[in-house]
Amino acid sequence: MINLQEEHLQIIYTQAEKTYPEECCGILLGYFSSGKKTVVEIIPTENAWKSDIAADFSHDNLEYSKRKRYAIAPQILLQVQKDAREKNLDIIGFFHSHPDYLAIPSEFDSLCAWQEYSYIIVAVQNGKYNNINSWCLDETHQFQPEIIKNLT
Ligand SMILES: [Zn+2]
């Protein structure tokens, strides 16, 4: 389960609509406690995807654009992690959007995912927020849906 507030959701929706038709992305700061996660802050980040990263992953030699992929620059991730520590918070997950697609993880999403983190995916249809889901890996590295609890 991941707990968050309406204002957090609004930041994610706004970012997703603003970035359409490309994927938006960002970092969830908060804390872990007794098997639950609580979001304290949402940090939208630039989609730093470059198609040359794709060469490391793709088996089919297709070029993927920011409409289908996202990446958070490693230096941004490090900086956010440092800032989070100073505020006694942790990185507890990430969010990104799926323009004109469902709010379910792609194969690539699970390939790139780490254990324990929440992966919030927001579906945007024709530039408008449509649906939101959160996902977390199980022991076999498969994404399982996670309940989003709006504490507002
Ligand atoms: Zn995705």
Side-chain angles (χ1 to χ4, degrees):
M1 183 189 290
I2 182 160
N3 297 318
L4 41 64
Q5 313 268 346
E6 183 63 28
E7 61 179 291
H8 298 136
L9 292 171
Q10 290 302 329
I11 292 169
I12 295 173
Y13 302 158
T14 304
Q15 193 68 13
E17 292 182 355
K18 206 168 71 179
T19 317
Y20 181 89
E22 295 186 345
E23 292 195 5
C24 74
C25 55
I27 302 169
L28 315 174
L29 296 189
Y31 52 88
F32 297 89
S33 67
S34 50
K36 287 184 216 159
K37 293 168 209 137
T38 302
V39 173
V40 174
E41 205 178 327
I42 304 276
I43 316 269
T45 63
E46 194 196 336
N47 185 348
W49 177 261
K50 290 195 190 72
S51 45
D52 58 343
I53 312 175
D56 297 339
F57 288 101
S58 81
H59 308 292
D60 46 15
N61 294 317
L62 289 174
E63 280 248 330
Y64 290 104
S65 72
K66 289 183 191 177
R67 289 178 184 227
K68 291 244 170 153
R69 293 283 189 264
Y70 76 99
I72 296 171
Q75 61 271 34
I76 300 288
L77 195 58
L78 281 174
Q79 186 59 49
V80 170
Q81 191 154 42
K82 201 166 152 252
D83 295 346
R85 282 207 193 107
E86 279 164 20
K87 295 183 223 175
N88 263 324
L89 298 173
D90 285 312
I91 293 176
I92 59 168
F94 302 91
F95 74 90
H96 73 283
S97 62
H98 279 177
D100 299 317
Y101 193 65
L102 305 171
I104 56 170
S106 65
E107 206 181 312
F108 186 77
D109 288 334
S110 52
L111 203 64
C112 300
W114 296 313
Q115 293 286 342
E116 290 192 30
Y117 291 107
S118 289
Y119 289 84
I120 290 180
I121 300 178
V122 53
V124 187
Q125 295 292 335
N126 298 315
K128 284 274 160 231
Y129 156 73
N130 183 259
N131 194 14
I132 193 163
N133 287 314
S134 185
W135 305 85
C136 199
L137 290 176
D138 66 15
E139 311 75 48
T140 62
H141 209 87
Q142 300 296 309
F143 267 124
Q144 299 299 334
E146 182 179 52
I147 295 164
I148 298 178
K149 195 168 174 207
N150 187 337
L151 295 177
T152 312

